[in-house]
Amino acid sequence: MASSSASTSATLTLSSIHLPQEPKSSLISSFSFKPNPKTKTLVLQSQSECIRPTNLKSGFGSFTSSKNSPFLVSAVAAEADLGEIDEDVEGGSVATAPPPSPSKPKKGKAALPLKSDRTRSKRFLEIQKLREVKKEYDLKTAVSLLKQMASTKFTESVEAHFRLNIDPKYNDQQLRATVNLPKGTGQVVRVAVLTQGEKIDEAKNAGADIVGGEDLIEQIKGGFMEFDKLIATPDMMPKVASLGKILGPRGLMPNPKAGTVTTTIPQTIEEFKKGKVEFRADKTGIVHLPFGKASFSEEDLTINLLAAVKSVETNKPTGAKGVYWKSAHICSSMGPSIRLDIKDMLDFKLA
């Protein structure tokens, strides 16, 4: 009998057993669970009689009654569940699954369409044919292609994008610095200065567009943002701290690493007016850095780009290990990217 029970995988339920003399509900209530030390399972035993199969060679075979015989636990459990469902249906209270909660709308970069779903303009598709996608170009050829691709009706900015082998979540692998572009940025930079006392007249004489103290702080809190760079003296930083939530997301918060917290106000104003640019690595280790306008000559763009490369190389984080430069691209603001040959870029010498 034991070998016959072990060889079958059929599941017995009370509905397959014909018991005209007793209702199923009373039969279920007469069972109790007891542990079986040999098989390490629960065994269902009856207080009066228990049903067991005598022949399972074909189908369920025939059944006989025997006192204190083992029975499948799943049989009664399944029948009890079916009984509860029947009662719910008869009472008119059928349980239904709750509707799925609506997904939250995506925001920011997550809301942008995938590259495969984006539609490009005819102009972009045409200029894209001027370069090979995965080819690495030498610096001189890349700058020449860049100027050819900048074909919009307005003057486009040109940008460099460097992927570095760093992880900014570690303090010793963060990169934030400035670079003085010898040929400027091609933009008019509006400089605001937060200072007090004698430094106010000094900043005005140095060419600052906006100068103020606590009054300027209150204007910024009220939404005033008519400036591109904000410089502050060290004695004003405790008061500037209250502007962190306003200036931080815009990249305008004064910071010593960016050179915007200083005591030499005239020199700092002159540097930013001439083309000093702040850059930092984002959370993926990529540096995005503008280095001029498409209207610049190829020579001027090359000089600015080399100055940017030298600054990124000089300010290499102490925690950076292995190959520092992973890839480098340049592009116009409305054009496709051009991949640079990193070795040629680092070894390039001006004639």
Side-chain angles (χ1 to χ4, degrees):
M1 174 58 66
S3 61
S4 176
S5 300
S7 62
T8 181
S9 61
T11 303
L12 300 178
T13 62
L14 293 179
S15 60
S16 63
I17 305 172
H18 299 286
L19 296 173
Q21 70 277 12
E22 288 189 34
K24 295 177 183 178
S25 59
S26 62
L27 178 62
I28 293 173
S29 62
S30 65
F31 285 104
S32 61
F33 294 92
K34 291 186 180 180
N36 187 339
K38 293 182 179 180
T39 60
K40 296 182 180 180
T41 58
L42 291 176
V43 176
L44 193 65
Q45 291 189 344
S46 173
Q47 297 175 2
S48 58
E49 288 187 339
C50 186
I51 310 302
R52 68 178 181 181
T54 57
N55 183 14
L56 293 174
K57 292 182 180 179
S58 60
F60 287 105
S62 58
F63 294 85
T64 60
S65 298
S66 174
K67 190 172 184 179
N68 296 328
S69 298
F71 188 75
L72 291 176
V73 175
S74 60
V76 175
E79 193 69 23
D81 290 341
L82 290 174
E84 291 178 0
I85 294 174
D86 291 341
E87 290 177 2
D88 290 340
V89 172
E90 291 175 0
S93 58
V94 179
T96 58
S101 58
S103 58
K104 295 182 179 179
K106 296 180 180 180
K107 298 180 179 180
K109 291 184 178 180
L112 295 175
L114 299 175
K115 284 187 176 180
S116 58
D117 299 331
R118 295 176 188 171
T119 55
R120 296 293 191 181
S121 65
K122 291 181 180 180
R123 183 198 66 85
F124 187 93
L125 294 175
E126 285 296 323
I127 63 175
Q128 194 170 234
K129 298 176 183 177
L130 297 175
R131 63 97 166 99
E132 297 180 30
V133 178
K134 295 184 179 180
K135 182 179 178 179
E136 294 183 348
Y137 291 87
D138 61 87
L139 193 64
K140 188 175 181 181
T141 306
V143 173
S144 178
L145 275 174
L146 176 68
K147 286 186 66 65
Q148 293 179 43
M149 292 180 177
S151 58
T152 55
K153 295 180 180 179
F154 62 92
T155 304
E156 300 179 44
S157 297
V158 291
E159 307 161 358
H161 305 277
F162 306 129
R163 183 183 291 275
L164 307 175
N165 188 24
I166 57 175
D167 190 351
K169 72 179 181 181
Y170 300 106
N171 291 332
D172 61 348
Q173 295 189 43
Q174 294 178 356
L175 175 62
R176 183 173 184 176
T178 58
V179 55
N180 289 314
L181 299 177
K183 300 301 179 179
T185 60
Q187 298 176 342
V188 177
V189 181
R190 298 168 298 175
V191 178
V193 179
L194 278 170
T195 186
Q196 57 187 356
E198 298 176 355
K199 295 286 184 181
I200 293 179
D201 293 332
E202 186 179 350
K204 289 180 179 179
N205 295 332
D209 298 282
I210 304 166
V211 182
E214 295 184 5
D215 56 334
L216 181 55
I217 292 177
E218 293 300 322
Q219 290 180 33
I220 295 173
K221 288 181 179 179
F224 178 77
M225 288 291 167
E226 300 298 323
F227 52 86
D228 302 308
K229 289 292 177 183
L230 180 63
I231 300 171
T233 51
D235 58 338
M236 290 295 294
M237 287 308 294
K239 300 175 182 178
V240 176
S242 60
L243 301 175
K245 292 183 179 180
I246 301 173
L247 300 176
R250 294 174 171 84
L252 295 172
M253 188 69 181
N255 189 295
K257 291 183 178 180
T260 48
V261 177
T262 180
T263 55
T264 57
I265 293 178
Q267 181 183 350
T268 305
I269 293 174
E270 183 181 3
E271 288 176 349
F272 280 110
K273 289 280 188 180
K274 284 186 175 181
K276 188 175 184 179
V277 177
E278 178 189 356
F279 65 88
R280 65 190 301 173
D282 63 16
K283 62 181 180 181
T284 60
I286 301 177
V287 173
H288 309 278
L289 201 158
F291 63 97
K293 292 282 188 177
S295 57
F296 286 16
S297 67
E298 292 183 16
E299 183 181 358
D300 289 350
L301 289 175
T302 302
I303 292 172
N304 278 354
L305 179 58
L306 289 176
V309 171
K310 183 179 179 181
S311 180
V312 174
E313 182 71 22
T314 304
N315 292 283
K316 179 180 178 179
T318 56
K321 299 178 182 179
V323 179
Y324 182 48
W325 294 84
K326 297 180 72 175
S327 67
H329 295 77
I330 59 173
C331 66
S332 61
S333 55
M334 300 297 290
S337 62
I338 304 167
R339 186 163 186 159
L340 300 176
D341 185 334
I342 294 177
K343 186 177 184 305
D344 177 81
M345 178 186 72
L346 296 176
D347 296 340
F348 190 86
K349 302 292 184 181
L350 290 170

